[in-house]
Amino acid sequence: MAKITVVGAGNVGATCANVLAFRKIADTVVMLDVKEGVAEGKAIDMMQTAHTLGFETNVIGVTNDYAATAGSDVYIVTSGIPRKPGMTREELIGVNAGIVKTVVSSCLKVSPNAIFIIISNPMDTMTYLTLKATGLPKNRVIGMGGTLDSSRFKYYLSTALKANPAQVEGMVIGGHGDTTMIPLKRLATLNGRPVSELLSAAALDKVVADTMVGGATLTGLLGTSAWYAPGAAGAYVAESIVRDYKRVIPACVYLEGEYGQKDICIGAPAVIGRKGVESIVDLNLNAEEKALFEKSAAAVRTTNDVLKEIKAL
Ligand SMILES: NC(=O)c1ccc[n+]([C@@H]2O[C@H](COP(=O)([O-])OP(=O)(O)OC[C@H]3O[C@@H](n4cnc5c(N)ncnc54)[C@H](O)[C@@H]3O)[C@@H](O)[C@H]2O)c1
């Protein structure tokens, strides 16, 4: 009997709630937003698909009513604003940090044992902020970014290989940014065979480059950031928690020595189960991958430093 709350009923949040309901991942899904009526309206719209699609999940929408979310097993935090014209990066971090901190503390008041999946951007920094501001144990705070980036990597691999995405394995680690993510081309496979045996080096490099700008490509086409794959990726992480699937998911997790890093939340493969992050898989990276990881971690730390500059931490 799982209860999952999605905070922010915008593009990503509503899509995530829809996947949670359609795939019957929870008995109750609550959507909460600050915009009067939006979460309520989207919840009723989703419930009007229950008969057609054949699910029994109860989807509820509320306007800033945290009491309705009480007893949630998992919160998926998608609330935030995109960068507006003229806004500096620091200002954006300041606004989203304020939103994420307020949201998470309101959630903990009514669901003290919940696990948090952070989606709001800049995601690695918002995950770090959540962990540090709440003092929660590291297993209960998970950022969703690498899950999505890995889906995009598998999509581009399957396209290059003319294969079904289900036949392809691949993961993206490091920070969740165009220049910080690390698609692990060496470890990607098609039906168990290394893709480096099947694609030319140039073709594989193109897959990596396309993956790294995957989000920006969609923003260019849509005029706003994408939502189907981000929403589905959030639901995929939540499913592994509430069903205790112990999937190995590239997720933003707190490192304490793994990958040579400490005091940072960044993408790494993690076993996700009922306790949240149950363990971190410390892959044996080669020298080139290690150097990329170090560079990525340095970039994430630079963004984390803004939290101190703006006194969010
Ligand atoms: N981590 C990832 O992989 C990933 C992928 C896509 C988007 N994102 C990020 O997810 C966030 C949401 O994206 P979106 O496209 O759904 O945006 P959106 O604008 O469609 O939705 C955001 C929603 O949050 C709500 N909101 C704002 N402040 C709130 C508060 N204090 N409490 C509750 N709700 C609040 C807004 O009213 C809005 O409905 C953004 O920060 C975006 O950058 C992350």
Side-chain angles (χ1 to χ4, degrees), residues 11 82 215 218-227:
N11 285 340
L218 290 175
T219 304
L221 291 168
L222 299 167
T224 183
S225 62
W227 55 89

Side-chain angles (χ1 to χ4, degrees), residues 246-271:
K246 302 191 196 300
R247 285 175 173 146
V248 176
I249 299 179
C252 178
V253 290
Y254 188 66
L255 299 186
E256 288 179 305
E258 301 90 348
Y259 295 88
Q261 298 293 331
K262 280 186 184 148
D263 194 34
I264 189 169
C265 290
I266 192 167
V271 176

Side-chain angles (χ1 to χ4, degrees), residues 14-310:
T15 307
C16 184
N18 197 34
V19 174
L20 291 169
F22 183 30
R23 288 178 54 106
K24 307 173 192 171
I25 292 169
D27 308 279
T28 305
V29 173
V30 183
M31 271 189 292
L32 180 147
D33 204 287
V34 282
K35 275 189 217 147
E36 190 78 41
V38 169
E40 288 86 339
K42 290 192 181 181
I44 293 169
D45 194 13
M46 276 177 217
M47 286 307 291
Q48 291 171 356
T49 70
H51 179 84
T52 324
L53 300 177
F55 64 78
E56 282 138 36
T57 307
N58 190 23
V59 186
I60 301 162
V62 295
T63 304
N64 235 9
D65 175 13
Y66 281 88
T69 77
S72 292
D73 300 282
V74 176
Y75 283 89
I76 303 176
V77 179
T78 75
S79 46
I81 60 155
R83 198 193 302 201
K84 295 179 180 145
M87 199 178 203
T88 65
R89 192 162 142 273
E90 284 72 15
E91 283 165 344
L92 175 76
I93 296 172
V95 174
N96 282 352
I99 292 174
V100 168
K101 260 171 89 170
T102 314
V103 161
V104 172
S105 90
S106 306
C107 299
L108 277 171
K109 280 186 195 135
V110 293
S111 307
N113 301 318
I115 293 172
F116 288 83
I117 299 172
I118 307 297
I119 299 188
S120 309
N121 272 324
M123 184 279 300
D124 300 292
T125 295
M126 292 302 130
T127 305
Y128 182 77
L129 172 71
T130 301
L131 189 84
K132 292 288 165 178
T134 59
L136 283 172
K138 61 177 184 173
N139 59 303
R140 285 173 53 195
V141 181
I142 308 166
M144 194 298 291
T147 325
L148 167 67
D149 299 329
S150 300
S151 303
R152 289 181 173 151
F153 186 34
K154 285 178 264 197
Y155 163 76
Y156 285 115
L157 280 168
S158 65
T159 306
L161 290 158
K162 298 185 175 49
N164 184 315
Q167 297 171 282
V168 173
E169 287 301 335
M171 55 172 101
V172 176
I173 61 170
H176 173 62
D178 290 12
T179 54
T180 58
M181 73 177 75
I182 309 163
L184 288 175
K185 58 182 179 179
R186 181 176 62 91
L187 301 179
T189 59
L190 170 71
N191 299 330
R193 286 180 70 191
V195 295
S196 52
E197 291 176 8
L198 305 164
L199 290 174
S200 68
L204 196 43
D205 285 344
K206 183 172 182 321
V207 166
V208 168
D210 287 345
T211 302
M212 293 178 78
V213 295
T217 302
L218 290 175
T219 304
L221 291 168
L222 299 167
T224 183
S225 62
W227 55 89
Y228 291 111
Y236 182 79
V237 178
E239 181 179 39
S240 197
I241 298 170
V242 299
R243 295 201 168 136
D244 199 20
Y245 278 165
K246 302 191 196 300
R247 285 175 173 146
V248 176
I249 299 179
C252 178
V253 290
Y254 188 66
L255 299 186
E256 288 179 305
E258 301 90 348
Y259 295 88
Q261 298 293 331
K262 280 186 184 148
D263 194 34
I264 189 169
C265 290
I266 192 167
V271 176
I272 306 290
R274 195 64 196 84
K275 296 191 179 82
V277 182
E278 303 205 340
S279 61
I280 294 169
V281 183
D282 203 351
L283 292 171
N284 196 5
L285 300 183
N286 66 24
E288 185 192 350
E289 293 156 351
K290 273 186 193 157
L292 287 173
F293 202 92
E294 269 170 38
K295 203 172 141 215
S296 181
V300 170
R301 281 183 206 285
T302 304
T303 310
N304 289 353
D305 287 344
V306 176
L307 294 175
K308 290 198 184 99
E309 285 161 29
I310 60 169

